[in-house]
Amino acid sequence: MRISKLFGKTQRETPAEADTVSHQLLLKAGMISQLAAGVYSYLPLAWRVLKKIEAIIREEMDGAGGQELNMPVLQPLELWQQTGRDKAFGKGMLVLSDRKERKLVLGPTHEEVVTSLVSHNVQSYRDLPLLLYQLQTKFRDEPRPRAGLIRVREFIMKDLYSFDADDDSLAQSYDKMLQAYRNIYARCGLPATLVEADSGAIGGKDSHEFMALVESGEDEIIYCNSCGYAANVEKAQSIKDGVAGGKPLPVEEVSTPGKTSIEEVAGFLKVLPSHTIKAVFHVADGKLAFVVIRGDLEVNEVKLKNVLRCTELRMATEAEVKEAGIVAGSASPVGIKGIKVVADDSITTGVNFVAGANKPDTHLRNVNYPRDFTADMVADIARASAGHRCPTCESKLLSARGIEVGHVFKLGTFLSEKLGAFYVDASGVSRPIVMGCYGIGVGRVLAAIIELNHDNKGIVWPLSVAPYHICLCPLFMENPKVVAAAESLHDELEAAGMEVLFDDRDESPGVKFNDADLLGIPLRVTISPRTLEKSSVEVKRRSEKSPELVPVEGLAARLKELIEV
RNA sequence: CGGGGUGUAGCGCAGUUGGCUAGCGCGCAGCGUUUGGGACGCUGAGGUCGGAGGUUCAAGUCCUCUCACCCCGACCA
């Protein structure tokens, strides 16, 4: 490919809208162009990278026994109503009307469609296990697209759906996918860490995410260096060290004028925050929930949402709290009535807590569960954080940030039951198919690769996904020898099956070198009068500083070596 | 949806208390001179100043409404 003909120009200045490295470099390199919030065109260079990532994914999916298919983008809303997941996705699902006023959605994912499809085509255990996958554009009306290709509304996703006869078989399919995913990331030059995850709107039981550890990532990961425990903070657990025991003492009312926050109350009464109980208020699907947790801990809203089995959860407003007759700052589960109380299990791990008294400027000492109050639900709803102790080995937990580049779920049978995907087992009994699903955001993988493979000059593509292997840079184009040598090398290398980006522009060396660096082509071949004097050219790896001089005759062979390593 | 911000040429920006044909740098086109890490000179093209309404002799500038985009939070591959 000649750069003079390449669609998509590099820019000298970084577009102002971007503040994430991958976003900046993609725009600056002329690889993507935004059409609307979270909606991008992929220009030829980015598209080539994307196709390479897709090819790696296809190989690994096929290798694991997957069969590729293609499904509709437009899906009847009724299909989603059958599984109830229209509610789980809520406004994230874009609903359209056709000319007959029939409601269709732009598919945010394809479990419903594929399950329905499978229900018509699978009747027997002999048809299982079955692995189907797609590489398609999906649309989710994200509330806030951001960071270029990392969080978009329209995106290309590989989704594989597994169909098994039972849980054991599902476990095998799941493991097979985990291995395939590890292969994919390794081949893409993208180190990805497996972490436990919450299944969110997709639903299901077990779930794991693959995280590319990057400071700018939007997810927080809690992990343990000694035993390898790692989980998304949404899911992560930690040991809630019990506070000193002792005998429950009688409840005692104390005056705490003007003290409302945990720090103030604890400081005033000279107790640790972990000896207090705090109350926070959430609205779950429109209903107020009174949430109780030990004072030193924070509520994990994802866990809370799961416990409450609600689809929408938010903090209550001051007005809502007031309206419910709650005294903010001194709220207490003691004596509360008519509101659902959800307690973190941490409140069962100590005695003689300080809690609110439901009276202004007043708190209670020596509050004990369940002597003094009860909860409608007691569960782990606390947010694990760095410094807490590991739930499996008790070492100190650490925290890191990451980009979610893959997410796998054991779905179970809830979709197959609702959509009638049953099979007949060996003994003639009809059973629901056990499902799993396994997604990778291809554009996000591309962006994550850049996040982890760049320097101050630009992108440093791993060879496996680079848009081209070689950037051929002739300098001093008015010199006929240079042009002749470049043209002939270009033809020779392409004929040898190498992917060459030929900088045939009449630009100064600085411009060519800077563009080659920005575009991140792994190998740069420089041809100039100076190198031709020695019948040689210069070969430089993008990832290294110094070039090597290679004789023109040996160039193709040398490059082949470098590419095939 | 809540909070913050920005809309002026393809990109980055300036534009004073409202005042004349709306500027600068980069990029783009032509010519010439240069050039091993983003060269220089000359010439030139490119704008309904996000949109609508209003105030005014006069609006990029003031007022009202609106739209888009970015950032921080609630959602996810």
Side-chain angles (χ1 to χ4, degrees), chain A residues 279-300:
Chain A
V280 289
F281 313 100
H282 286 79
V283 176
D285 292 341
K287 279 188 198 149
L288 194 70
F290 194 110
V291 182
V292 184
I293 190 167
R294 220 170 62 192
D296 59 319
L297 300 172
E298 298 294 327
V299 173
N300 175 331

Side-chain angles (χ1 to χ4, degrees), chain A residues 33 40 136 147 170 173 188 380:
Chain A
S33 174
Y40 288 86
Q136 288 185 237
L170 168 62
S173 294
C188 288
D380 170 32

Side-chain angles (χ1 to χ4, degrees), chain A residues 78-116:
Chain A
E78 297 94 88
L79 189 59
W80 286 82
Q81 290 166 335
Q82 276 183 56
T83 60
R85 294 208 309 166
D86 57 324
K87 291 197 189 69
F89 273 91
K91 288 194 167 175
M93 198 157 67
L94 193 70
V95 182
L96 317 160
S97 297
D98 67 12
R99 67 203 301 161
K100 297 176 192 161
E101 295 299 317
R102 180 176 174 166
K103 297 260 191 268
L104 295 165
V105 309
L106 278 184
T109 179
H110 287 72
E111 283 85 20
E112 274 72 3
V113 175
V114 78
T115 307
S116 162

Side-chain angles (χ1 to χ4, degrees), chain A residues 1 13 20 28 138 149 199 205 219 247 273 284 299 324 377-378 422 433 439-440 458-459 462 466 518 529 554:
Chain A
M1 182 70 212
E13 310 203 48
T20 309
K28 209 174 165 198
K138 309 203 176 192
L149 293 186
S199 59
K205 304 174 272 186
D219 284 289
K247 280 190 183 153
V299 173
M377 297 182 215
V378 177
F422 292 87
I433 301 176
I440 294 183
I459 305 169
L518 175 61

Side-chain angles (χ1 to χ4, degrees), chain A residues 105-155:
Chain A
V105 309
L106 278 184
T109 179
H110 287 72
E111 283 85 20
E112 274 72 3
V113 175
V114 78
T115 307
S116 162
L117 180 64
V118 164
S119 74
H120 300 307
N121 287 280
V122 169
Q123 278 87 39
S124 159
Y125 73 97
R126 294 172 193 271
D127 299 326
L128 304 175
L130 177 64
L131 304 175
L132 299 175
Y133 75 95
Q134 53 166 179
L135 266 155
Q136 288 185 237
T137 295
K138 309 203 176 192
F139 190 92
R140 295 182 190 171
D141 200 0
E142 293 289 338
R144 190 156 92 80
R146 108 186 65 151
L149 293 186
I150 289 176
R151 178 162 218 83
V152 290
R153 294 192 295 172
E154 182 178 309
F155 57 103

Side-chain angles (χ1 to χ4, degrees), chain A residues 20-39:
Chain A
T20 309
V21 174
S22 61
H23 191 193
Q24 288 174 345
L25 291 175
L26 282 164
L27 288 171
K28 209 174 165 198
M31 296 179 76
I32 59 170
S33 174
Q34 185 178 51
L35 184 63
V39 179

Side-chain angles (χ1 to χ4, degrees), chain A residues 299-421:
Chain A
V299 173
N300 175 331
E301 293 202 2
V302 173
K303 289 184 183 175
L304 179 60
K305 195 172 167 181
N306 289 336
V307 168
L308 289 168
R309 294 172 191 275
C310 62
T311 55
E312 204 201 349
L313 183 74
R314 59 174 174 82
M315 295 284 276
T317 62
E318 276 182 40
E320 286 167 328
V321 171
K322 209 169 180 183
E323 199 175 313
I326 293 165
V327 184
S330 290
S332 170
V334 181
I336 204 81
K337 282 197 185 99
I339 303 175
K340 182 177 264 189
V341 176
V342 185
D344 182 63
D345 53 16
S346 57
I347 54 125
T348 65
T349 60
V351 293
N352 300 331
F353 285 106
V354 169
N358 291 326
K359 277 198 265 180
D361 301 325
T362 313
H363 281 77
L364 301 175
R365 281 188 192 275
N366 305 328
V367 170
N368 289 283
Y369 175 88
R371 185 190 71 181
D372 304 317
F373 70 97
T374 56
D376 298 290
M377 297 182 215
V378 177
D380 170 32
I381 53 168
R383 185 186 165 90
S385 64
H388 287 183
R389 290 193 299 124
C390 174
T392 61
C393 79
E394 306 193 0
S395 306
K396 276 239 156 108
L397 288 170
L398 300 165
S399 159
R401 299 198 69 81
I403 299 169
E404 181 189 358
V405 289
H407 199 159
V408 299
F409 307 78
K410 284 186 186 171
L411 296 171
T413 57
F414 72 94
L415 289 169
S416 44
E417 283 169 20
K418 285 181 173 139
L419 294 169

